[in-house]
Amino acid sequence: MGPANEGEQMRRLGAILALVMLLAAACGDEADPFGTTRPDETTSTEAPTTTAASSTSAEPTTTAGTTTTTTAATTTTEATTTTTLSPSAADTLAAFFAAAEALDADIRSAAAAFNAGFDADAGTLDPGVAPLVDALDAVPLGELIPGGLTLNLETAVLRVFADLDGRVSALAGGVRILGYPDLEWALDCLTGAGPAATRFPADLAQARALAGLEPPPTAAPDSAEAGILAVRLAAIHSMNWGCESCGVLDYDAPIEVDWAGGTVAGGVEFEATFEAGTWEVLIYAC
């Protein structure tokens, strides 16, 4: 491509970064499902509203040629009841929720540093940005999620994890691909995670609310329930990071896991072993 086209791409990239990165949108790209940037890598994880209303009205009565109509006052009473268990799954997940908030803040800070350190005209990035991005890691958050949550709550919690993991992947992809000649690819990475950054506060609030309505999970760390959770965490991470991709997975439904058959997502084989208190998961893809 000619210098004019390159300059136009640089200006476009800088304009979008100024808008997107200050809003903490990391990045995203369509990935080969279950790919991995490190093919031999394994992933470890430790294991109503009540409304009461009354209304009465007397029928007209007639006495000695005189008609008298009596109407009783209508009274409507609404009561709202919120049930929160104590202890609840929210207590078990307290460390996860706190870590998720902290990582969200770190991602936003790194995105702002990226925006400040990017020279759109030269197509260069301040060398101090890469270490900030490299320090971001959502995988440890998975170790704070217990097995045995109801499927509804687990899905909400994993959506929070996927939001963060994908945004880290997207930002890392933007740093990595800026060194490549394909600026369009870098542009996709740097803008694709906007929806995940925008929805994160609501996703976190939803997971917290659901957790307050459930008792603490009781599944053992080496149980099948905990193992299935570990496989789902590994699959999410692989979808966000695999094959040089840069997120972001929109996790809105449980990933299918055939525990007995050793397959995930409809047929991809995996191995899961419990050793030294953790699940080691290897998915055979990419």
Side-chain angles (χ1 to χ4, degrees):
M1 88 178 41
N5 288 336
E6 291 180 356
E8 178 62 26
Q9 285 183 317
M10 293 295 187
R11 286 189 294 275
R12 181 185 171 201
L13 181 56
I16 293 181
L17 280 170
L19 173 64
V20 176
M21 299 302 290
L22 284 178
L23 292 175
C27 17
D29 194 10
E30 293 294 330
D32 186 309
F34 303 109
T36 175
T37 55
R38 294 175 291 279
D40 295 331
E41 177 183 1
T42 60
T43 301
S44 302
T45 181
E46 291 184 5
T49 301
T50 302
T51 303
S54 63
S55 177
T56 59
S57 179
E59 292 294 326
T61 60
T62 302
T63 304
T66 302
T67 301
T68 302
T69 301
T70 303
T71 303
T74 300
T75 302
T76 301
T77 302
E78 295 186 359
T80 301
T81 302
T82 301
T83 302
T84 301
L85 300 179
S86 183
S88 70
D91 299 310
T92 308
L93 287 163
F96 169 81
F97 292 141
E101 285 185 316
L103 182 57
D104 172 61
D106 288 344
I107 294 171
R108 294 177 188 275
S109 178
F114 188 110
N115 192 43
F118 178 67
D119 186 330
D121 293 326
T124 58
L125 185 66
D126 187 319
V129 174
L132 297 177
V133 175
D134 290 342
L136 303 173
D137 187 4
V139 172
L141 270 66
E143 300 173 0
L144 302 176
I145 305 174
L149 300 174
T150 65
L151 191 57
N152 192 36
L153 176 56
E154 183 194 273
T155 301
V157 170
L158 289 183
R159 182 172 176 83
V160 171
F161 172 82
D163 287 349
L164 294 168
D165 187 59
R167 287 163 61 196
V168 174
S169 172
L171 192 55
V175 172
R176 181 177 67 250
I177 298 169
L178 273 178
Y180 296 179
D182 190 345
L183 292 181
E184 289 296 329
W185 185 8
L187 184 63
D188 288 342
C189 283
L190 291 168
T191 59
T198 299
R199 69 177 177 249
F200 174 79
D203 288 345
L204 181 63
Q206 173 72 359
R208 272 188 164 133
L210 291 175
L213 303 177
E214 291 190 11
T218 58
D222 61 349
S223 65
E225 291 87 351
I228 290 170
L229 169 65
V231 173
R232 287 189 174 125
L233 283 164
I236 290 170
H237 186 66
S238 190
M239 288 176 176
N240 278 329
W241 289 83
C243 299
E244 296 293 317
S245 65
C246 47
V248 176
L249 173 66
D250 186 353
Y251 191 84
D252 57 359
I255 294 175
E256 177 189 353
V257 178
D258 181 351
W259 183 250
T263 62
V264 59
V268 181
E269 295 183 351
F270 73 85
E271 289 184 4
T273 56
F274 188 76
E275 298 179 357
T278 65
W279 282 100
E280 300 289 338
V281 177
L282 176 62
I283 297 176
Y284 291 97
C286 195

